[in-house]
Amino acid sequence: KQWYQRRVAITAGIHMIIEASELPMSIIIVGVGNADFSDMERLDADDALLSIGNRKAKRDIVQFVPFRDFKNGGAGRLAAHVLKEVPSQLMDMYNDILKVPPMYQPFYGPPT
């Protein structure tokens, strides 16, 4: 019964994320504890966009980070990893959904 309830919740979550992939938003999930986070890894969709049936996300909007990987590494390292995909998610929103290029120039460091 618990497996079924979790599967239904994950499936509902996938539907909501696919719908939200057309909106200007990012979803950040931090997993706390020693649980199996494989379902959260799937929502992160780093390898392929989320899809269910014939519906597919427009872009990747989820960043999942297991806290246990950073609990001894300091808050700065955790924050950097949690936020690392947000700039590319923002650019995807402008380029793929809005079709309007933002006033953004990537910073690669000072001129040499």
Side-chain angles (χ1 to χ4, degrees):
K1 182 178 176 183
Q2 184 177 3
W3 176 88
Y4 174 77
Q5 290 173 339
R6 192 175 91 205
R7 187 61 44 204
V8 169
I10 293 298
T11 301
I14 292 171
H15 281 288
M16 288 187 278
I17 291 169
I18 289 172
E19 289 291 321
S21 71
E22 297 184 34
L23 301 173
M25 68 180 294
S26 292
I27 299 171
I28 297 171
I29 303 169
V30 178
V32 178
N34 292 320
D36 174 10
F37 293 122
S38 56
D39 287 334
M40 296 300 108
E41 294 285 352
R42 179 173 178 228
L43 295 179
D44 195 346
D46 283 338
D47 298 324
L49 291 177
L50 281 178
S51 65
I52 197 160
N54 63 350
R55 308 221 36 242
K56 186 175 183 178
K58 300 285 185 195
R59 59 194 184 91
D60 174 22
I61 63 169
V62 177
Q63 170 70 343
F64 169 72
V65 177
F67 179 76
R68 66 179 170 237
D69 293 354
F70 298 91
K71 67 182 179 183
N72 296 323
R77 195 168 146 250
L78 173 65
H81 197 76
V82 164
L83 298 173
K84 103 176 165 183
E85 290 183 12
V86 173
S88 63
Q89 291 172 351
L90 177 66
M91 294 303 294
D92 289 346
M93 180 68 202
Y94 277 105
N95 295 330
D96 299 338
I97 307 296
L98 299 176
K99 306 291 186 204
V100 176
M103 301 302 291
Y104 171 80
Q105 293 294 323
F107 180 72
Y108 298 106
T112 56

